Structure formats: C-alpha cells, structure tokens
Amino acid sequence: MQDCVIMGSVATFDGVTPDKAQALKVLEEASEVYNAWKVWDECRDAEAKAECRQPLMEECADVVQATANLVKACGCDDMRLHLMDCEDRNRKRGRITGSKPYPDACGREGCKRFVFVPLPRPYGVLGKLKAKIGGLK
C-alpha cells in the first residue's frame, strides 16, 4: 500500500487575486520551508528533532495555504483531478509505485467532476424523429 498524507480542504483567504504578489507568496513560503528544514535537519537528538518539527510543519502548511489561495484566485476550487494527473505523471516516472493509499481512495470515477453522461448523436435523434413523422424511410 502506498504511503500518503491526508490534507483535507483548505479555506482560502478573502479577496484573493491572481496577481504577481499572490504567485510570489508561494515562492516566499517555500523558501521559509527550506529554512525551517535546515534547522530541523541540523537537530541531532530525538528531543530537539521533535521540537524543530513543529515550525517545519507550520511552514509546510503555509505553502499549502498560499498555493490554495493562488489556485482559488485563478478560478479553481477543486484540485482533485489535477492532483490525480500529478500522481499519474509521477507513477509513470516510477516515483510512486504502491497501490491506492487507503481502501476508499477516490479514483477518477468517484470524483464529483468526473460525471459521464452519454449524449445521443443529434443526427440519430433527428433521423428517428423524421422517420416517425414519415420524412425518412
């Protein structure tokens, strides 16, 4: 079974705009993650590592928040299909090799945006209607 991280929904800031500042915020927060990771990485004993983990996780959460804000500002409110595509790309590259992370993992068919509705061909419907009224034989 594949390891996974459960993240859940992310509430976005009010009034986000798809501007340069919003895009740069993701980069700024990622830089802060790196700095927090360096501190965590330098901790040598388990107790110090545990103390340094919290600031690192807070910075990681800030990156997720900034990313969600940018995504929302660009008009997207559901990243599930994009994340599935990302997973597919990484599976093809051999970076993810395990099965679904948990038994009820949402596959493409389970995603609310992936609804397949068969549409009849217009000419088929028109042809049948015309045949009923005697226009085609």
Side-chain angles (χ1 to χ4, degrees):
M1 191 152 331
Q2 182 66 47
D3 287 337
C4 72
V5 174
I6 298 170
M7 298 183 103
S9 297
V10 180
T12 55
F13 291 2
D14 297 340
V16 291
T17 55
D19 56 14
K20 183 178 180 178
Q22 191 66 61
L24 287 174
K25 189 65 176 171
V26 178
L27 184 59
E28 174 192 331
E29 294 299 343
S31 174
E32 292 175 10
V33 166
Y34 177 70
N35 290 329
W37 172 83
K38 284 194 309 187
V39 171
W40 176 85
D41 190 51
E42 291 171 3
C43 296
R44 294 297 162 221
D45 63 65
E47 188 176 324
K49 206 77 148 166
E51 283 183 32
C52 293
R53 182 178 176 271
Q54 183 62 29
L56 174 57
M57 293 303 107
E58 289 173 4
E59 294 301 341
C60 287
D62 288 348
V63 170
V64 172
Q65 179 70 68
T67 301
N69 289 343
L70 179 61
V71 166
K72 183 66 173 187
C74 291
C76 180
D77 64 358
D78 191 340
M79 286 290 292
R80 288 180 292 178
L81 291 178
H82 301 288
L83 290 168
M84 287 180 208
D85 288 343
C86 180
E87 181 180 329
D88 289 346
R89 288 190 303 273
N90 284 304
R91 283 186 183 282
K92 286 177 186 171
R93 294 173 183 149
R95 296 174 179 162
I96 300 173
T97 57
S99 60
K100 290 285 185 192
Y102 47 94
D104 298 324
C106 175
R108 290 183 185 281
E109 296 78 20
C111 184
K112 72 176 182 179
R113 291 218 176 173
F114 236 86
V115 178
F116 296 96
V117 179
L119 298 175
R121 295 184 200 172
Y123 60 85
V125 172
L126 290 174
K128 289 177 185 174
L129 286 173
K130 287 180 181 178
K132 281 186 177 181
I133 58 173
L136 292 176
K137 297 198 179 189

